[in-house]
């Protein structure tokens, strides 16, 4: 078993398909804002090579729980909401915490046949899909909400030195 824990990751959020406020044509990719998240991951690993080998490739399958924090809407998107959607308050962004699958491929290489010290390289794929809500008030004091799906799905790379007990 393995537990992956990290410092918070930061991601930019982009949106596609918004109408241009002047021409009505669809805009390309527009920066919505940025978020930080913590995706702790628990995996079960399988080592297909015998335990005596000094090279140990492995694969893992697991689950991750993603906690979102520091969700921000940038000034360009804020101006868009004010101009096109008549927002009279600052728009707020909130992402729901999520559960997803995780996959891992890695290798442990011992510093010699009898050494307990080893080099490790691994890559994880995390399925992080969630729902985001953008909230603001309009001129008529109506509460407006926009719901969107967010797919982050990062690859996480790791290099390390380990010690086998």
């Amino acid at each position: 078993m393995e537990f992956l824990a990290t410092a918070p990751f930061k991601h930019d959020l982009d949106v596609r398909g918004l109408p241009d406020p002047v021409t009505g044509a669809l805009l390309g990719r527009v920066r919505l804002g940025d978020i930080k998240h913590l995706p702790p991951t628990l995996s079960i690993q399988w080592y297909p090579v015998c335990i005596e080998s000094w090279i140990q490739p492995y694969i893992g399958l697991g689950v991750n729980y993603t906690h979102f924090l520091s969700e921000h809407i940038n000034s360009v998107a804020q101006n868009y909401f004010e101009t096109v959607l008549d927002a009279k308050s600052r728009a707020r962004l909130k992402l729901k915490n999520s559960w997803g699958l995780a996959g891992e491929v890695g290798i442990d290489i011992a510093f010699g046949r009898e050494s307990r010290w080893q080099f490790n390289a691994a890559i994880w794929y995390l399925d992080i899909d969630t729902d985001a809500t953008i909230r603001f008030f309009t001129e008529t004091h109506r509460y407006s909400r926009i719901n969107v799906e967010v797919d982050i799905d990062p690859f996480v790379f790791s290099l390390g030195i380990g010690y086998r007990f």
Side-chain angles (χ1 to χ4, degrees):
M1 290 185 76
E2 180 177 63
F3 182 69
L4 168 67
T6 68
F9 289 106
K10 182 177 179 180
H11 290 283
D12 294 329
L13 295 180
D14 296 335
V15 63
R16 293 185 194 112
L18 294 175
D20 185 287
V22 177
T23 66
L26 294 181
L27 298 172
R29 183 184 234 162
V30 176
R31 177 71 30 92
L32 175 64
D34 60 78
I35 54 117
K36 288 184 181 177
H37 67 87
L38 290 170
T41 303
L42 184 63
S43 300
I44 302 287
Q45 296 173 330
W46 178 62
Y47 291 81
V49 178
C50 72
I51 197 162
E52 292 83 22
S53 176
W54 62 284
I55 298 177
Q56 287 286 333
Y58 61 90
I59 57 173
L61 183 63
V63 63
N64 75 323
Y65 174 78
T66 303
H67 173 70
F68 293 95
L69 54 140
S70 299
E71 300 121 325
H72 295 104
I73 294 177
N74 74 12
S75 60
V76 172
Q78 197 68 250
N79 290 338
Y80 182 88
F81 294 135
E82 291 170 6
T83 304
V84 177
L85 302 177
D86 198 27
K88 297 302 178 194
S89 67
R90 181 149 182 83
R92 303 274 185 227
L93 174 65
K94 181 67 180 161
L95 279 75
K96 289 183 181 177
N97 296 338
S98 72
W99 289 92
L101 293 176
E104 174 187 14
V105 175
I107 189 165
D108 292 331
I109 302 172
F111 292 132
R113 288 208 179 275
E114 302 300 320
S115 177
R116 292 193 171 273
W117 289 95
Q118 62 188 10
F119 168 78
N120 172 266
I123 181 171
W124 289 267
Y125 171 77
L126 307 178
D127 181 31
I128 302 176
D129 300 334
T130 189
D131 296 320
T133 302
I134 302 166
R135 297 182 175 121
F136 55 88
F137 285 98
T138 62
E139 187 172 298
T140 58
H141 301 291
R142 291 183 52 203
Y143 177 73
S144 294
R145 180 174 61 201
I146 301 169
N147 295 318
V148 295
E149 293 178 4
V150 177
D151 295 327
I152 298 174
D153 304 337
F155 283 92
V156 179
F157 303 92
S158 170
L159 297 175
I161 304 285
Y163 183 82
R164 277 187 305 175
F165 295 95

